[in-house]
């Protein structure tokens, strides 16, 4: 059943007849909603870049059955929930940026705080954040949005039947899949974190390299969702099982589930370097951060002139830009349904020019002098301040991203998450899926850092029904109205700084897509002070490290800087690229 000839990176997958194909094509004769239009193909092939081979295989089956990019994206989401349980999910949430029939869309299916959540729920009686309380166990979980998000996207834009796009995931859950070494090693780390605290081991102790891992409870849950749609998850037996799991352990109620809605929002859009950047709006900070970085870098063109990529001067200039972006992020960003985020002002070219003009090519700015740049006193935002969060980088990564382009030129860029790998560590008994620990993305206390070392303000304080601030930035670039790049990555606060670097490598330094993705990446986020995070992949070491330190920076190692899944489209050719840092694969379907 396993398609074993998918190539890593920009290879072409060859078709293999298998049991899953039979399952999928069994539905193929049934009334595709948009098939009437049948526009002529705009591209020579469809392309996919995704975090594992099983989801690529699912996407191939859906595309060959006549599905479009949205059908493939939904099939991937459900498959990753089975075969990539560290981050793929139905117990979390995410963002989808779409370009369909020449128009941009954005779907927010981020988790929401339960109605019983309170602003100070993670503080002890001395007002201090209780370590781990927002990261492990049922109280760290927000109301999941993934199933509603996939339902909304597929219902609005899909061509195939809902059941058809869930079929591959159900087959993997009931028949099993072969466990990869990386998955076992991530499971081992999670075991150390969750042992004795959650029911994680009872479900995932069988995730051993080379073993076939079957999930009958999850297969039954997915079958119910396939039969009855999203309503089953939010008001049916699955909702009962979630509410039961929460009893005495967490806050999510049946009312919370029944009230959950995904929201179609206006994407953040900006013209840059001849491209239209279409990316995530609040409650993501990522789209605004990405546009701020791209525009400030353009404003600093004279300072960057002749500066090689990843040279000490390049790292310094980018870090200075990042300082200002993260100062704004901490102050102004939160759920737009609760707080009026000044989006237009934050990406206004004149504002960004002013911020860029403060940057010296030769000297590091004093951290405490870098303040948020807008005057929004009328909005009554309470400052998060520049807290001391030295050494706060987590060792674990999280989240997953995939990109899809179909032969009609439609594109989906989807990032979704249960936050830390394996989320809260809580599996819903009887339903077989993990719940997220997304509540950690709120500012548990203004000025105190979360798992990613980033601070927040009132804009991102906990409130019932609110969505926590995210950095997820599923992004699409178009040129002359046609898709040019589909890109995204996991990485928490590293997400948009990673995407920025790949876009600059590609269009600023004119690298090939694989070169642009494989380049060393670094990260700075205002706090900890003057600290550049670097990665073991293509490390910043030797002379380069000494030169960066000589400028006044501290270097801090991190285990991970993203897992980019990107597709570049040039003319009629779509070229996918999976980050060599992960176990992702690419696929071209002629
Ligand atoms: N949980 C990571 C993010 O949403 O950015």
């Amino acid at each position: 059943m396993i398609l074993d000839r998918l190539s890593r990176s920009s290879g072409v997958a060859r078709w293999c007849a298998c049991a899953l194909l039979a399952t999928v094509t069994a539905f193929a004769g049934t009334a595709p909603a948009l098939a009437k239009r049948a526009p002529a193909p705009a591209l020579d092939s469809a392309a996919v870049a995704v975090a594992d081979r099983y989801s690529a295989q699912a996407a191939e089956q859906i595309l060959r059955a006549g599905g479009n990019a949205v059908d493939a994206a939904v099939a991937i989401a459900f498959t990753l929930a089975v075969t990539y349980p560290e981050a793929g999910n139905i117990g979390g949430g995410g963002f989808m940026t779409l370009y369909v029939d020449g128009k941009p869309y954005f779907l927010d299916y981020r988790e929401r705080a339960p109605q019983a959540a309170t602003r100070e729920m993670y503080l002890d009686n001395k007002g201090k954040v209780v370590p781990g309380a927002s990261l492990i166990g049922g109280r760290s979980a927000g109301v999941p949005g993934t199933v509603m998000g996939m339902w909304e996207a597929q219902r609005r834009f899909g061509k195939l039947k809902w059941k058809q796009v869930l079929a591959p995931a159900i087959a993997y859950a009931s028949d099993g899949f072969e466990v990869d070494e990386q998955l076992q090693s991530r499971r081992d780390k999670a075991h150390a974190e969750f042992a004795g605290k959650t029911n994680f081991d009872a479900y995932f102790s069988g995730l051993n390299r080379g073993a076939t891992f079957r999930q009958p409870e999850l297969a039954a849950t997915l079958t119910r969702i396939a039969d009855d749609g999203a309503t089953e998850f939010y008001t049916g037996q699955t909702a009962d099982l979630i509410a039961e799991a929460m009893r005495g352990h967490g806050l999510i109620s049946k009312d919370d589930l029944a009230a959950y809605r995904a929201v179609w929002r206006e994407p953040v859009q900006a013209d840059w370097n001849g491209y239209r950047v279409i990316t995530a709006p609040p409650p993501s900070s990522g789209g605004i951060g990405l546009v701020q970085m791209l525009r400030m870098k353009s404003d600093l063109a004279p300072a960057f002139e002749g500066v090689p990529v990843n040279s000490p001067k390049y790292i310094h200039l980018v870090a200075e830009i990042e300082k200002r972006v993260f100062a704004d992020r901490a102050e102004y960003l939160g759920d737009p349904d609760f707080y009026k985020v000044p989006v237009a002002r934050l990406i206004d070219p004149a504002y960004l020019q002013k911020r860029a003009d403060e940057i010296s090519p030769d000297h590091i700015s004093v951290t405490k002098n870098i303040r948020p740049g807008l005057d929004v006193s009328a909005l009554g935002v309470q400052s998060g301040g520049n807290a001391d969060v030295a050494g706060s980088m987590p060792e674990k990564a999280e989240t997953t991203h995939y990109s899809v382009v179909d032969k009609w030129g439609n594109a989906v860029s989807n990032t979704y998450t249960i936050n830390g790998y394996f989320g809260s560590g809580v599996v819903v008994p009887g339903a077989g899926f993990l719940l997220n620990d997304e509540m950690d993305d709120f500012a548990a206390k203004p000025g105190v850092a979360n798992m990613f070392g980033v601070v927040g303000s009132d804009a991102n304080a906990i409130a019932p029904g609110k969505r926590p601030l995210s950095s997820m930035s599923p992004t699409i670039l178009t040129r002359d109205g046609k898709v040019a790049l589909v890109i995204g990555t996991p990485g928490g606060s590293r997400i948009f700084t990673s995407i920025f670097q790949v876009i600059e490598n590609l269009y600023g330094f004119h690298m090939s897509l694989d070169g642009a993705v494989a380049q060393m990446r670094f990260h700075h986020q205002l706090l900890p002070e003057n600290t550049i995070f670097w990665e073991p992949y293509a490390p910043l070491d030797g002379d380069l490290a000494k030169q960066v330190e000589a400028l006044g920076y501290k270097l801090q190692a991190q285990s991970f800087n993203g897992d980019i899944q990107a597709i570049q489209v040039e003319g009629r050719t779509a070229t996918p690229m999976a980050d060599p840092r992960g176990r992702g694969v690419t696929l071209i379907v002629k």
Side-chain angles (χ1 to χ4, degrees), residues 110 398-399 417 419 438 441 452 469-472 492 495:
R110 181 82 163 153
E398 44 62 63
T399 308
T417 186
N419 201 26
E438 219 68 58
D441 275 347
F452 301 104
L469 184 61
S470 174
S471 296
M472 293 186 289
I495 288 176

Side-chain angles (χ1 to χ4, degrees), residues 8 82 89 99 105 182 298 333 391 419 541:
R8 281 198 42 87
V82 176
N89 69 83
Y99 198 70
Y105 302 89
Q182 188 186 56
S298 298
L333 274 294
N419 201 26
D541 58 7

